[in-house]
Amino acid sequence: MSLYCGIAFKRKFFWCYRLLSTYVTKTRYLFELKEDDDACKKAHQTGAFYLFHGLAPLLQTSAHQYMATQHSLLELERLLGKFGQDAQRIDDSVLIGCSEQQKAWFALDLGLDNSSSISASLSKPEMETELKGSFIELRKALFQLNAKDASLLSTAQALLRWHDAHQFCSRSGQPTKKNLAGSKRVCPSNNIIYYPQVAPVVITLVSDGTRCLLARQSSFPKGMYSALAGFCDIGESVEETVRREVAEEVGLEVESLQYCASQHWPFPNSSLMIAYHATVKPGQTEIQVNLRELETAAWFSHHEVATALKRKGPYTQQQNGTFPFWLPPKLAISHQLIKEWVEKQTSSSLPA
Protein backbone atom coordinates (compact mmCIF):
# COMPACT_ATOMS: atom_id res chain seq x y z
CA MET A 1 0.00 0.00 0.00
CA SER A 2 2.80 2.40 0.91
CA LEU A 3 4.57 1.59 -2.37
CA TYR A 4 1.37 2.35 -4.33
CA CYS A 5 0.95 5.66 -2.50
CA GLY A 6 4.56 6.53 -3.21
CA ILE A 7 4.13 5.85 -6.92
CA ALA A 8 0.89 7.83 -7.01
CA PHE A 9 2.54 10.77 -5.25
CA LYS A 10 5.50 10.77 -7.64
CA ARG A 11 3.16 10.60 -10.63
CA LYS A 12 1.08 13.48 -9.31
CA PHE A 13 4.21 15.53 -8.61
CA PHE A 14 5.54 14.72 -12.08
CA TRP A 15 2.38 15.95 -13.80
CA CYS A 16 2.25 19.07 -11.63
CA TYR A 17 5.86 19.79 -12.52
CA ARG A 18 5.17 19.29 -16.23
CA LEU A 19 2.15 21.60 -16.13
CA LEU A 20 4.12 24.29 -14.32
CA SER A 21 7.10 23.83 -16.61
CA THR A 22 4.93 24.24 -19.73
CA TYR A 23 3.35 27.40 -18.38
CA VAL A 24 6.66 28.93 -17.32
CA THR A 25 8.30 28.07 -20.63
CA LYS A 26 5.41 29.59 -22.57
CA THR A 27 5.41 32.74 -20.41
CA ARG A 28 9.18 33.20 -20.78
CA TYR A 29 8.88 32.73 -24.54
CA LEU A 30 6.23 35.45 -24.81
CA PHE A 31 8.38 37.74 -22.65
CA GLU A 32 11.30 37.21 -25.04
CA LEU A 33 9.15 38.08 -28.06
CA LYS A 34 7.97 41.29 -26.37
CA GLU A 35 11.51 42.39 -25.51
CA ASP A 36 13.43 41.25 -28.59
CA ASP A 37 12.33 42.47 -32.05
CA ASP A 38 14.58 39.95 -33.80
CA ALA A 39 13.02 37.05 -31.89
CA CYS A 40 9.55 38.37 -32.68
CA LYS A 41 10.42 38.71 -36.37
CA LYS A 42 11.57 35.09 -36.35
CA ALA A 43 8.30 34.04 -34.68
CA HIS A 44 6.42 35.54 -37.64
CA GLN A 45 7.84 32.75 -39.79
CA THR A 46 6.02 29.97 -37.93
CA GLY A 47 3.25 32.02 -36.36
CA ALA A 48 -0.43 32.43 -37.15
CA PHE A 49 -2.22 35.71 -37.90
CA TYR A 50 -5.75 36.77 -37.05
CA LEU A 51 -7.05 39.46 -39.39
CA PHE A 52 -9.17 42.51 -38.53
CA HIS A 53 -10.66 45.38 -40.53
CA GLY A 54 -11.54 48.54 -38.60
CA LEU A 55 -11.23 46.56 -35.33
CA ALA A 56 -13.75 43.94 -36.58
CA PRO A 57 -12.31 40.39 -36.69
CA LEU A 58 -12.50 38.14 -39.74
CA LEU A 59 -14.92 35.33 -38.92
CA GLN A 60 -16.53 32.37 -40.63
CA THR A 61 -19.82 30.72 -39.70
CA SER A 62 -19.85 27.10 -38.55
CA ALA A 63 -22.82 25.29 -36.96
CA HIS A 64 -24.58 28.49 -35.82
CA GLN A 65 -21.33 29.74 -34.28
CA TYR A 66 -18.61 32.09 -35.39
CA MET A 67 -15.11 30.75 -35.90
CA ALA A 68 -11.92 32.81 -36.08
CA THR A 69 -9.57 31.92 -38.93
CA GLN A 70 -5.79 31.82 -38.83
CA HIS A 71 -3.40 32.66 -41.66
CA SER A 72 0.26 31.79 -42.04
CA LEU A 73 2.92 34.34 -42.91
CA LEU A 74 3.14 33.00 -46.46
CA GLU A 75 -0.64 33.26 -46.93
CA LEU A 76 -0.60 36.80 -45.60
CA GLU A 77 2.26 37.85 -47.87
CA ARG A 78 0.42 36.44 -50.88
CA LEU A 79 -2.77 38.25 -49.85
CA LEU A 80 -1.01 41.59 -49.45
CA GLY A 81 0.81 41.13 -52.74
CA LYS A 82 -2.45 40.44 -54.55
CA PHE A 83 -3.82 43.77 -53.34
CA GLY A 84 -0.65 45.66 -54.19
CA GLN A 85 0.54 45.97 -50.60
CA ASP A 86 4.07 45.70 -49.26
CA ALA A 87 4.77 42.76 -46.94
CA GLN A 88 6.31 45.26 -44.51
CA ARG A 89 2.75 45.98 -43.41
CA ILE A 90 2.92 42.74 -41.39
CA ASP A 91 5.14 44.64 -38.95
CA ASP A 92 1.98 46.51 -37.87
CA SER A 93 0.73 43.28 -36.27
CA VAL A 94 0.60 42.75 -32.50
CA LEU A 95 1.47 39.68 -30.46
CA ILE A 96 -1.58 38.23 -28.67
CA GLY A 97 -0.34 34.88 -27.31
CA CYS A 98 1.11 31.51 -28.25
CA SER A 99 0.34 27.81 -28.12
CA GLU A 100 1.99 25.40 -25.70
CA GLN A 101 4.20 24.39 -28.64
CA GLN A 102 5.37 28.04 -28.86
CA LYS A 103 3.53 28.86 -32.06
CA ALA A 104 3.05 32.60 -31.75
CA TRP A 105 -0.30 34.24 -32.50
CA PHE A 106 -0.54 37.73 -33.97
CA ALA A 107 -3.32 40.13 -34.96
CA LEU A 108 -3.20 42.54 -37.90
CA ASP A 109 -5.78 45.18 -38.82
CA LEU A 110 -5.99 45.80 -42.56
CA GLY A 111 -8.49 48.63 -42.20
CA LEU A 112 -6.64 51.09 -39.96
CA ASP A 113 -4.36 53.86 -41.21
CA ASN A 114 -1.40 53.82 -38.83
CA SER A 115 1.07 56.68 -38.79
CA SER A 116 3.83 54.08 -38.95
CA SER A 117 2.22 52.12 -41.78
CA ILE A 118 3.33 52.60 -45.35
CA SER A 119 -0.05 51.47 -46.70
CA ALA A 120 -3.61 52.73 -46.59
CA SER A 121 -6.74 50.85 -45.54
CA LEU A 122 -7.67 47.90 -47.74
CA SER A 123 -11.17 47.50 -49.19
CA LYS A 124 -13.38 45.55 -46.79
CA PRO A 125 -15.72 43.91 -49.39
CA GLU A 126 -12.80 42.82 -51.56
CA MET A 127 -10.99 41.35 -48.58
CA GLU A 128 -14.09 39.46 -47.42
CA THR A 129 -14.58 37.95 -50.87
CA GLU A 130 -10.95 36.91 -51.12
CA LEU A 131 -10.82 35.47 -47.58
CA LYS A 132 -14.26 33.78 -47.73
CA GLY A 133 -15.36 35.32 -44.45
CA SER A 134 -16.86 38.45 -42.93
CA PHE A 135 -15.43 41.20 -40.74
CA ILE A 136 -17.98 41.27 -37.92
CA GLU A 137 -18.17 43.69 -35.00
CA LEU A 138 -16.73 41.84 -32.00
CA ARG A 139 -19.44 42.98 -29.59
CA LYS A 140 -22.06 41.29 -31.78
CA ALA A 141 -20.06 38.10 -32.27
CA LEU A 142 -18.39 37.63 -28.88
CA PHE A 143 -20.96 35.32 -27.31
CA GLN A 144 -21.10 33.10 -30.40
CA LEU A 145 -17.39 32.31 -30.24
CA ASN A 146 -15.71 29.52 -28.31
CA ALA A 147 -13.82 30.54 -25.17
CA LYS A 148 -10.37 30.45 -26.79
CA ASP A 149 -11.32 32.58 -29.79
CA ALA A 150 -13.28 35.01 -27.62
CA SER A 151 -10.27 35.56 -25.35
CA LEU A 152 -7.76 35.93 -28.19
CA LEU A 153 -9.91 38.28 -30.24
CA SER A 154 -10.73 40.40 -27.18
CA THR A 155 -7.03 40.77 -26.44
CA ALA A 156 -6.30 41.51 -30.10
CA GLN A 157 -8.98 44.17 -30.46
CA ALA A 158 -7.96 45.88 -27.22
CA LEU A 159 -4.30 46.06 -28.32
CA LEU A 160 -5.10 47.18 -31.86
CA ARG A 161 -7.43 49.90 -30.54
CA TRP A 162 -4.80 51.08 -28.05
CA HIS A 163 -2.14 51.40 -30.74
CA ASP A 164 -4.55 53.22 -33.05
CA ALA A 165 -5.30 55.75 -30.28
CA HIS A 166 -1.69 56.28 -29.14
CA GLN A 167 0.17 57.04 -32.34
CA PHE A 168 1.47 60.36 -30.98
CA CYS A 169 3.34 61.31 -27.84
CA SER A 170 1.24 63.28 -25.35
CA ARG A 171 4.31 65.27 -24.30
CA SER A 172 6.05 66.14 -27.60
CA GLY A 173 3.24 65.59 -30.11
CA GLN A 174 5.65 63.56 -32.24
CA PRO A 175 4.72 60.14 -33.74
CA THR A 176 5.45 57.21 -31.45
CA LYS A 177 6.88 53.93 -32.68
CA LYS A 178 5.68 50.49 -31.60
CA ASN A 179 8.04 47.62 -30.95
CA LEU A 180 7.48 44.62 -33.20
CA ALA A 181 5.36 42.69 -30.67
CA GLY A 182 3.19 45.71 -29.94
CA SER A 183 3.78 45.53 -26.19
CA LYS A 184 4.81 49.20 -26.02
CA ARG A 185 5.30 52.42 -27.98
CA VAL A 186 8.27 54.79 -27.70
CA CYS A 187 8.60 58.46 -28.55
CA PRO A 188 11.93 58.80 -30.42
CA SER A 189 12.26 62.49 -29.48
CA ASN A 190 12.24 62.02 -25.68
CA ASN A 191 12.36 58.21 -25.16
CA ILE A 192 9.09 58.16 -23.19
CA ILE A 193 7.71 54.62 -23.20
CA TYR A 194 3.95 54.04 -23.37
CA TYR A 195 2.48 50.69 -22.30
CA PRO A 196 -1.05 49.43 -23.04
CA GLN A 197 -3.32 49.99 -20.05
CA VAL A 198 -6.64 48.69 -18.80
CA ALA A 199 -9.29 50.50 -16.75
CA PRO A 200 -10.35 48.71 -13.52
CA VAL A 201 -14.11 48.21 -13.24
CA VAL A 202 -16.00 46.60 -10.37
CA ILE A 203 -19.06 44.48 -11.08
CA THR A 204 -21.13 43.67 -8.01
CA LEU A 205 -24.03 41.33 -7.32
CA VAL A 206 -25.92 42.67 -4.32
CA SER A 207 -27.98 40.32 -2.14
CA ASP A 208 -30.15 40.74 0.95
CA GLY A 209 -29.82 37.06 1.85
CA THR A 210 -32.75 35.64 -0.10
CA ARG A 211 -32.90 37.92 -3.16
CA CYS A 212 -30.38 39.49 -5.52
CA LEU A 213 -30.47 42.93 -7.06
CA LEU A 214 -30.23 43.24 -10.83
CA ALA A 215 -30.38 46.34 -13.01
CA ARG A 216 -30.41 47.43 -16.61
CA GLN A 217 -29.20 50.41 -18.60
CA SER A 218 -31.09 51.78 -21.58
CA SER A 219 -28.30 50.53 -23.84
CA PHE A 220 -28.88 46.89 -22.80
CA PRO A 221 -30.74 44.52 -25.13
CA LYS A 222 -34.45 44.43 -24.33
CA GLY A 223 -35.24 42.31 -21.28
CA MET A 224 -31.63 41.81 -20.13
CA TYR A 225 -30.65 42.54 -16.53
CA SER A 226 -27.19 42.32 -15.02
CA ALA A 227 -25.15 43.09 -11.90
CA LEU A 228 -24.14 46.66 -11.01
CA ALA A 229 -20.89 47.91 -12.54
CA GLY A 230 -18.74 51.02 -12.49
CA PHE A 231 -15.21 52.34 -13.02
CA CYS A 232 -12.78 52.80 -10.15
CA ASP A 233 -12.04 56.44 -9.35
CA ILE A 234 -8.49 57.66 -8.80
CA GLY A 235 -7.52 57.22 -5.15
CA GLU A 236 -10.05 54.46 -4.46
CA SER A 237 -9.45 50.88 -3.42
CA VAL A 238 -11.56 48.27 -5.20
CA GLU A 239 -13.60 47.75 -2.04
CA GLU A 240 -14.31 51.47 -1.80
CA THR A 241 -15.47 51.48 -5.40
CA VAL A 242 -17.92 48.65 -4.71
CA ARG A 243 -19.47 50.54 -1.80
CA ARG A 244 -19.63 53.85 -3.71
CA GLU A 245 -21.15 52.35 -6.87
CA VAL A 246 -23.89 50.54 -4.94
CA ALA A 247 -24.69 53.71 -3.00
CA GLU A 248 -24.63 55.89 -6.14
CA GLU A 249 -26.69 53.64 -8.39
CA VAL A 250 -29.33 52.13 -6.09
CA GLY A 251 -29.03 54.04 -2.80
CA LEU A 252 -28.02 51.06 -0.65
CA GLU A 253 -25.18 50.65 1.85
CA VAL A 254 -23.03 47.54 1.56
CA GLU A 255 -22.62 45.58 4.80
CA SER A 256 -20.06 43.00 3.61
CA LEU A 257 -18.43 41.95 0.38
CA GLN A 258 -16.51 38.98 -1.05
CA TYR A 259 -14.23 38.77 -4.07
CA CYS A 260 -15.31 36.38 -6.82
CA ALA A 261 -13.13 36.59 -9.95
CA SER A 262 -11.86 38.92 -12.69
CA GLN A 263 -12.13 39.10 -16.46
CA HIS A 264 -10.67 41.21 -19.25
CA TRP A 265 -13.40 43.02 -21.17
CA PRO A 266 -12.52 44.78 -24.45
CA PHE A 267 -15.42 47.25 -24.43
CA PRO A 268 -15.43 50.18 -24.63
CA ASN A 269 -11.67 50.65 -24.24
CA SER A 270 -10.25 47.57 -22.52
CA SER A 271 -11.40 47.09 -18.94
CA LEU A 272 -10.48 44.69 -16.14
CA MET A 273 -13.76 43.53 -14.64
CA ILE A 274 -13.34 42.75 -10.92
CA ALA A 275 -16.32 40.80 -9.61
CA TYR A 276 -17.69 40.90 -6.06
CA HIS A 277 -20.61 39.53 -4.10
CA ALA A 278 -22.02 42.14 -1.68
CA THR A 279 -24.71 41.94 0.98
CA VAL A 280 -26.92 44.61 2.52
CA LYS A 281 -28.84 44.43 5.76
CA PRO A 282 -32.26 42.74 5.33
CA GLY A 283 -34.04 45.74 6.84
CA GLN A 284 -32.37 48.25 4.52
CA THR A 285 -33.38 47.13 1.03
CA GLU A 286 -35.45 49.98 -0.40
CA ILE A 287 -34.01 50.78 -3.83
CA GLN A 288 -33.59 54.37 -4.96
CA VAL A 289 -32.58 54.16 -8.61
CA ASN A 290 -30.19 56.79 -9.96
CA LEU A 291 -31.83 57.44 -13.34
CA ARG A 292 -28.66 59.12 -14.63
CA GLU A 293 -26.94 55.74 -14.35
CA LEU A 294 -29.69 53.13 -14.74
CA GLU A 295 -32.98 52.61 -16.49
CA THR A 296 -34.32 50.44 -13.69
CA ALA A 297 -33.27 48.06 -10.89
CA ALA A 298 -35.19 45.48 -8.88
CA TRP A 299 -34.89 42.61 -6.42
CA PHE A 300 -35.31 39.12 -7.91
CA SER A 301 -36.07 35.88 -6.09
CA HIS A 302 -33.95 32.75 -6.31
CA HIS A 303 -36.63 31.06 -8.41
CA GLU A 304 -36.83 33.95 -10.89
CA VAL A 305 -33.07 34.07 -11.37
CA ALA A 306 -32.66 30.27 -11.57
CA THR A 307 -35.37 30.16 -14.24
CA ALA A 308 -33.71 32.96 -16.22
CA LEU A 309 -30.37 31.11 -16.14
CA LYS A 310 -32.02 28.14 -17.85
CA ARG A 311 -33.69 30.29 -20.49
CA LYS A 312 -32.17 30.12 -23.95
CA GLY A 313 -32.31 32.77 -26.68
CA PRO A 314 -33.27 34.30 -28.95
CA TYR A 315 -35.27 36.56 -26.66
CA THR A 316 -38.14 37.86 -28.79
CA GLN A 317 -40.94 40.22 -27.90
CA GLN A 318 -43.95 38.53 -26.34
CA GLN A 319 -47.60 39.00 -27.33
CA ASN A 320 -48.18 41.53 -24.55
CA GLY A 321 -45.36 43.68 -25.92
CA THR A 322 -42.82 42.86 -23.20
CA PHE A 323 -39.56 40.95 -23.42
CA PRO A 324 -38.71 37.97 -21.19
CA PHE A 325 -36.33 38.55 -18.28
CA TRP A 326 -32.94 37.17 -19.25
CA LEU A 327 -29.33 37.33 -18.10
CA PRO A 328 -25.91 37.91 -19.71
CA PRO A 329 -24.46 34.92 -21.64
CA LYS A 330 -22.07 32.40 -20.09
CA LEU A 331 -18.86 34.08 -21.24
CA ALA A 332 -19.66 37.25 -19.28
CA ILE A 333 -18.36 37.42 -15.72
CA SER A 334 -21.74 38.75 -14.57
CA HIS A 335 -23.21 35.38 -15.57
CA GLN A 336 -20.65 33.65 -13.33
CA LEU A 337 -21.53 35.97 -10.42
CA ILE A 338 -25.25 35.29 -10.78
CA LYS A 339 -24.77 31.55 -11.23
CA GLU A 340 -22.61 31.37 -8.09
CA TRP A 341 -25.30 33.14 -6.08
CA VAL A 342 -28.00 30.75 -7.32
CA GLU A 343 -25.88 27.69 -6.53
CA LYS A 344 -25.05 28.99 -3.05
CA GLN A 345 -28.72 29.66 -2.34
CA THR A 346 -29.63 26.20 -3.61
CA SER A 347 -27.05 24.43 -1.43
CA SER A 348 -27.99 26.41 1.68
CA SER A 349 -31.64 25.44 1.29
CA LEU A 350 -30.90 21.70 1.13
CA PRO A 351 -31.53 19.69 4.33
CA ALA A 352 -28.39 18.95 6.35
Side-chain angles (χ1 to χ4, degrees), residues 228-295:
L228 302 176
F231 289 94
C232 294
D233 280 348
I234 289 178
E236 283 185 329
S237 68
V238 175
E239 293 79 7
E240 288 170 336
T241 304
V242 170
R243 296 180 186 278
R244 175 181 55 77
E245 284 292 332
V246 174
E248 279 183 359
E249 296 191 350
V250 292
L252 297 176
E253 188 171 344
V254 169
E255 182 180 35
S256 63
L257 50 88
Q258 181 181 9
Y259 173 76
C260 170
S262 63
Q263 178 188 45
H264 172 253
W265 191 246
F267 316 113
N269 292 303
S270 192
S271 302
L272 177 63
M273 307 296 292
I274 307 167
Y276 274 88
H277 289 283
T279 57
V280 296
K281 292 181 180 180
Q284 300 176 4
T285 58
E286 183 180 349
I287 300 171
Q288 296 177 346
V289 178
N290 184 342
L291 295 178
R292 291 186 178 183
E293 295 283 339
L294 303 172
E295 182 180 89

Side-chain angles (χ1 to χ4, degrees), residues 18-180:
R18 285 204 46 190
L19 180 63
L20 178 63
S21 177
T22 301
Y23 175 76
V24 171
T25 301
K26 176 180 170 181
T27 302
R28 290 287 179 86
Y29 176 63
L30 288 172
F31 177 80
E32 180 186 6
L33 299 189
K34 292 175 183 178
E35 297 298 317
D36 188 335
D37 280 359
D38 291 335
C40 191
K41 190 75 171 180
K42 185 178 179 181
H44 281 178
Q45 304 295 324
T46 57
F49 293 80
Y50 293 84
L51 300 182
F52 285 69
H53 194 287
L55 299 177
L58 178 70
L59 302 174
Q60 294 178 339
T61 305
S62 176
H64 306 293
Q65 272 200 320
Y66 288 120
M67 180 178 64
T69 60
Q70 295 182 350
H71 300 269
S72 68
L73 178 65
L74 182 59
E75 291 171 334
L76 190 50
E77 288 174 337
R78 287 174 178 171
L79 176 72
L80 292 172
K82 187 170 184 177
F83 285 89
Q85 299 288 307
D86 195 297
Q88 189 177 339
R89 180 159 194 162
I90 296 170
D91 290 349
D92 288 334
S93 65
V94 294
L95 176 70
I96 58 174
C98 74
S99 69
E100 292 188 355
Q101 292 74 37
Q102 297 186 12
K103 178 180 181 179
W105 298 319
F106 300 90
L108 176 64
D109 198 307
L110 300 173
L112 294 178
D113 293 321
N114 294 324
S115 63
S116 59
S117 177
I118 60 173
S119 306
S121 170
L122 296 177
S123 168
K124 181 178 176 181
E126 292 180 16
M127 297 296 292
E128 290 178 327
T129 301
E130 178 67 25
L131 295 167
K132 298 179 174 60
S134 300
F135 292 104
I136 299 173
E137 186 180 339
L138 184 58
R139 187 185 284 272
K140 295 179 179 178
L142 187 63
F143 297 120
Q144 291 176 268
L145 293 163
N146 63 45
K148 175 194 168 186
D149 284 349
S151 177
L152 279 176
L153 296 182
S154 293
T155 300
Q157 190 199 68
L159 266 176
L160 291 168
R161 181 191 286 114
W162 182 84
H163 280 284
D164 185 49
H166 291 79
Q167 297 181 49
F168 296 90
C169 176
S170 61
R171 182 68 61 83
S172 69
Q174 297 299 310
T176 55
K177 183 179 179 181
K178 75 181 257 310
N179 66 334
L180 202 60

Side-chain angles (χ1 to χ4, degrees), residues 1-17:
M1 180 66 180
S2 61
L3 177 61
Y4 174 81
C5 289
I7 293 173
F9 174 79
K10 288 181 179 178
R11 185 175 297 163
K12 182 179 180 181
F13 178 82
F14 175 71
W15 282 111
C16 287
Y17 174 78

Side-chain angles (χ1 to χ4, degrees), residues 297-309:
W299 290 105
F300 291 85
S301 68
H302 174 267
H303 175 72
E304 288 174 313
V305 177
T307 301
L309 280 174

